[in-house]
Amino acid sequence: MEPADSRLNLLAREVVEPLGYELVGVELFQRGASGATLRVYIDHERGIGLDDCAAVSDQLSAVLDVEDPLQGRYDLEVSSPGLDRPLVFPEHFRRFEGSRAKVRLSEKLDGRRSLEGVLRGCEDGIVSLEADGRLWAIPVNRIEIARLVPVF
């Protein structure tokens, strides 16, 4: 996932939110010489359908053509976040307080790079995660990727 304050997230947010959707996050995958894939996750309280993805894709594609934030060829994909929803922005960690999440860090914290536990909130850029019998204080800027863990 792109960092919350990345240019791609900021551009996507400027398009997605005025259309009435929530920007969940943006992923950029390099595919070597054949280009890249820019995947944008959106959500809405009623869910996301194909028409929603198409509407956002049309608008976002036009903005990306003008702003030109990526070098070379890329494919744009707009998708719902799925059950293992990515958590990118601080408000995501607050909204899903009490939910299970898996977090991978960009560097080790107390000898750990991967944690799974229950979200206990986010305040002042610090995510609280209860895992392995302790409460972890994780700086948002050290989170490489965080996702909800579906419970069936």
Side-chain angles (χ1 to χ4, degrees):
M1 281 296 186
E2 289 289 306
D5 61 352
S6 74
R7 182 164 184 233
L8 289 173
N9 262 319
L10 296 174
L11 279 172
R13 194 172 234 182
E14 288 176 7
V15 172
V16 170
E17 290 180 354
L19 292 173
Y21 300 100
E22 173 195 4
L23 176 67
V24 175
V26 174
E27 286 180 311
L28 181 62
F29 300 99
Q30 294 296 328
R31 294 187 317 239
S34 65
T37 298
L38 178 62
R39 187 170 299 141
V40 177
Y41 294 101
I42 60 171
D43 206 359
H44 194 278
E45 60 191 29
R46 65 168 160 63
I48 294 295
L50 187 56
D51 291 341
D52 301 307
C53 294
V56 170
S57 180
D58 288 345
Q59 292 294 315
L60 186 55
S61 181
V63 170
L64 292 171
D65 285 347
V66 170
E67 295 293 328
D68 199 25
L70 299 172
Q71 297 293 325
R73 185 185 177 294
Y74 65 92
D75 294 319
L76 173 63
E77 296 178 2
V78 178
S79 174
S80 71
L83 294 176
D84 63 339
R85 175 193 173 102
L87 305 169
V88 178
F89 302 102
E91 58 265 26
H92 294 164
F93 295 98
R94 288 190 287 272
R95 181 172 6 144
F96 292 101
E97 186 173 338
S99 299
R100 289 198 65 76
K102 189 171 190 172
V103 177
R104 187 172 67 221
L105 305 173
S106 57
E107 56 189 67
K108 287 185 178 181
L109 178 66
D110 292 344
R112 299 285 298 275
R113 202 157 169 236
S114 183
L115 295 163
E116 184 174 327
V118 177
L119 288 172
R120 296 297 180 208
C122 181
E123 213 172 296
D124 298 325
I126 304 293
V127 173
S128 297
L129 182 77
E130 190 175 328
D132 302 326
R134 91 176 239 203
L135 189 62
W136 294 78
I138 306 167
V140 171
N141 63 359
R142 288 182 61 183
I143 295 176
E144 189 173 286
I145 190 163
R147 289 188 173 272
L148 291 180
V149 175
V151 178
F152 299 100

